[in-house]
Amino acid sequence: MKKLSLYISLVVLILGSFYACDKIEEPFFKPVYTEVTVAGELFADAATLDELTYSNFINLTSGSDEVSSILILSGDTSLEGNSLAANQLVSKLGISVQTPIVAFNRKDLTGIPQSNWQSALEQAIAEETEFILEIDYETDSLNHTVNGICNIKSLNNYSQAISASVYIIEDSVRLSSFAVDRLLREASFNLFELPMMVREVEHDFSFNIDISEIKKIEKMSVVVILENKATGVILQTGENKKQTTEIEFSTKQKFLIEDFTGHQCGSCPNAHIELASLHNLYGDQIVPLAIHYGYFAEISTQYPTNFITPIATHIGDYFAIPYTPVGMVNRMGATDNKLVDHGNWGTVIANHKDSAPLLGMAIKDAKVENNKIVAAVYVKAYETIDTLLKIQYFIAESHIIAPQLFYNHDPERIADYEHNHVLRASANGLWGEDLTSVPYYKNEVVGYNLSFNLSSEWNADNLHLIVIVYNDVTKEILQVESADL
């Protein structure tokens, strides 16, 4: 009987101890923490925000999984960039944006001096949190809404009240003189609240937010801010970027070499060899394009393959090509002095290969699908450009086996000559189309979706997409990019 009483007492003691674990703050369990994602916020007004302050902020906070950067522009909502959501947030926090304010997890809203931004951010990143956020959402383009759900979990007991807000962030938004990323466009504040959180207990909340003001859904992301309701300090930040297209823009100047040629031009293979040599030397900085034009491009009994196309004839006529072989390098030079003999192409490239480009370009998901050539094309301005720019898509084909005349070669008529980078078509007209309205602001990103019917005369396995952006006045090509299909 005594042993039974002893066992019962021991069980009661153990159960009482575990019961106390939920009554006393973490007596037997060591608190568990995880890495924090810092909300780096720049509060300002679109009318007064200067580009240098923005650039310094975005350069410091972007490109890291540890930081979610957000630009909050308040003020007159008729100005591009300012939003009702930003005004509501500034009012909620009780701050003035007459001068820009940078905050990290809202530990200090008095304004951190720019010289201290780096150290303040490093200190915020070094802290830990006990909260985990997971976000999923879908975009309803028909009704212009974002519908989603957020899961919140605390790794420990948290005895203070919390609240969560959902922000819609957009990239590449035009301001008065430049474009910005990470801009707060829409928000639902205090969408979810709890007086406390119990260890490991998960909570879900749903959201439905109007996005009719979002111009570029593909450049949008959803951010959830979890904060201490009493202090306003941000406890954790979650972000889902599934709508945001991750793009690597070219940061070096690239060159389109338009090689005017013909299969009955006996000197033209020397230009083909030079072009291949430059392509091997400079890699993807060189984009070759063989344009069959003029008398020597005409067909005959011995040269029956028709390489002449409407776009090739248009380009050759416009630039008044007098002979072949000859070429243009990004169409640089005065209107009447753009032609360069193939022996000088390398000199032109060497003189300009280290030039800082005005534009970056990227081609994504280029392929042949359902008998169509499809791709997504993005262009980013590195400087503000005041001249109208045009964008044009060329389709080129390689590995075409057909006769070619080659002087001083044995035999001179090469029956199985390999023709590469042959211009086949322009996918958007003889001159392309306007890239965007003028001016084209620094940091602005423009995106296009290409869909063009595949010709049965082409070998889909050997096609390339070549995209150029050029000055509509001078016709000079500012940037070029290519992708195999």
Side-chain angles (χ1 to χ4, degrees), residues 135-139 146-148 207 220-222 240 242-243:
I135 311 162
D136 191 24
Y137 70 92
E138 295 294 336
T139 301
V146 163
N147 308 298
F207 53 88
M220 181 194 79
S221 58
V222 175
N240 189 321
K242 69 178 179 179
Q243 291 291 335

Side-chain angles (χ1 to χ4, degrees), residues 365-429:
D365 303 321
K367 58 188 174 182
V368 175
E369 184 177 72
N370 298 326
N371 226 30
K372 289 182 178 292
I373 296 169
V374 297
V377 179
Y378 299 90
V379 185
K380 180 176 182 177
Y382 294 141
E383 300 292 341
T384 296
I385 301 172
D386 293 323
T387 305
L388 180 63
L389 303 181
K390 286 188 172 289
I391 184 169
Q392 189 164 16
Y393 315 113
F394 294 137
I395 310 302
E397 185 178 356
S398 290
H399 310 303
I400 303 171
I401 305 303
Q404 170 70 49
L405 182 64
F406 191 174
Y407 293 151
N408 300 319
H409 186 274
D410 186 18
E412 285 194 339
R413 180 186 178 274
I414 304 175
D416 57 352
Y417 189 86
E418 183 175 307
H419 297 265
N420 291 311
H421 317 292
V422 176
L423 177 60
R424 288 304 206 181
S426 170
N428 58 343

Side-chain angles (χ1 to χ4, degrees), residues 420-463:
N420 291 311
H421 317 292
V422 176
L423 177 60
R424 288 304 206 181
S426 170
N428 58 343
L430 295 178
W431 286 115
E433 60 194 281
D434 293 351
L435 179 68
T436 186
S437 56
V438 178
Y440 183 26
Y441 287 128
K442 181 178 180 179
N443 298 327
E444 184 176 0
V445 175
V446 178
Y448 289 91
N449 290 317
L450 169 66
S451 178
F452 186 68
N453 290 332
L454 182 70
S455 170
S456 59
E457 297 179 359
W458 306 336
N459 185 333
D461 294 332
N462 298 330
L463 295 178

Side-chain angles (χ1 to χ4, degrees), residues 205-398:
F205 73 90
S206 59
F207 53 88
N208 178 281
I209 301 176
D210 180 85
I211 56 169
S212 55
E213 296 298 317
I214 303 295
K215 296 180 180 179
K216 300 175 181 176
I217 293 178
E218 76 278 2
K219 300 295 293 177
M220 181 194 79
S221 58
V222 175
V223 173
V224 173
I225 299 289
L226 183 68
E227 57 187 292
N228 182 302
K229 188 170 173 56
T231 66
V233 171
I234 294 174
L235 304 170
Q236 181 63 299
T237 304
E239 181 166 4
N240 189 321
K241 298 182 179 180
K242 69 178 179 179
Q243 291 291 335
T244 302
T245 304
E246 298 295 336
I247 306 169
E248 292 186 11
F249 290 100
S250 51
T251 57
K252 57 187 176 183
Q253 182 63 60
K254 297 189 177 184
F255 301 91
L256 179 72
I257 299 182
E258 292 169 286
D259 172 21
F260 294 92
T261 188
H263 51 184
Q264 297 192 67
C265 168
S267 299
C268 286
N270 293 315
H272 304 165
I273 293 169
E274 176 65 15
L275 186 52
S277 176
L278 291 171
H279 197 195
N280 289 333
L281 178 62
Y282 292 107
D284 66 358
Q285 220 173 341
I286 302 296
V287 178
L289 184 62
I291 302 175
H292 288 250
Y293 175 79
Y295 173 79
F296 292 119
E298 294 178 0
I299 62 173
S300 66
T301 304
Q302 285 193 308
Y303 299 92
T305 306
N306 186 11
F307 292 109
I308 298 176
T309 62
I311 184 61
T313 299
H314 168 74
I315 295 173
D317 287 349
Y318 180 83
F319 291 104
I321 303 304
Y323 57 85
T324 55
V326 73
M328 295 187 292
V329 180
N330 273 357
R331 302 178 185 172
M332 291 186 288
T335 303
D336 59 350
N337 190 31
K338 294 183 181 294
L339 303 184
V340 183
D341 287 330
H342 68 272
N344 295 324
W345 292 345
T347 301
V348 176
I349 299 297
N351 289 338
H352 294 88
K353 66 181 179 64
D354 296 322
S355 302
L358 294 176
L359 302 172
M361 199 185 304
I363 302 174
K364 293 181 68 67
D365 303 321
K367 58 188 174 182
V368 175
E369 184 177 72
N370 298 326
N371 226 30
K372 289 182 178 292
I373 296 169
V374 297
V377 179
Y378 299 90
V379 185
K380 180 176 182 177
Y382 294 141
E383 300 292 341
T384 296
I385 301 172
D386 293 323
T387 305
L388 180 63
L389 303 181
K390 286 188 172 289
I391 184 169
Q392 189 164 16
Y393 315 113
F394 294 137
I395 310 302
E397 185 178 356
S398 290

